[in-house]
Amino acid sequence: MNFDPKVECVSGKESAMKKIFCGFFLLVAWNSNLHAQTPFYQGKTITLVAGTTAGSQYDAHARLIAQYWGKHIPGNPDIIVQNMPGAGL
């Protein structure tokens, strides 16, 4: 086998296209971080459904989770526990 490496020259058009493409990519990447988004759950209420009666162990767990869950979701939504006996069956 005879392997003959050749040096390829980049023409002026290819070089210009690469520069334009790189410039466009950097422009898009730079502009993507300019607009901050508001949290989706800001000012909203999340209903956590407990499928048991009030006062049960599962209700206590749901209420314990609801106390702290909203603080860890962006926008800090209100969490309400709703008891629906039989909803989990």
Side-chain angles (χ1 to χ4, degrees):
M1 291 196 151
N2 190 5
F3 181 72
D4 186 22
K6 295 181 181 179
V7 177
E8 293 183 22
C9 296
V10 177
S11 68
K13 288 183 181 180
E14 290 177 0
S15 177
M17 287 298 290
K18 286 182 182 179
K19 288 180 183 178
I20 291 171
F21 180 73
C22 288
F24 179 73
F25 177 75
L26 290 174
L27 180 69
V28 169
W30 177 67
N31 281 334
S32 65
N33 292 330
L34 290 179
H35 305 289
Q37 296 179 359
T38 59
F40 179 76
Y41 289 105
Q42 187 172 5
K44 295 185 180 179
T45 302
I46 296 176
T47 304
L48 183 61
V49 178
T52 60
T53 59
S56 68
Q57 190 67 27
Y58 292 114
D59 178 54
H61 284 262
R63 293 184 189 281
L64 182 66
I65 290 170
Q67 285 180 350
Y68 300 102
W69 198 16
K71 297 175 186 175
H72 297 284
I73 297 175
N76 298 329
D78 296 324
I79 309 290
I80 295 177
V81 177
Q82 181 180 4
N83 294 96
M84 284 190 177
L89 296 177

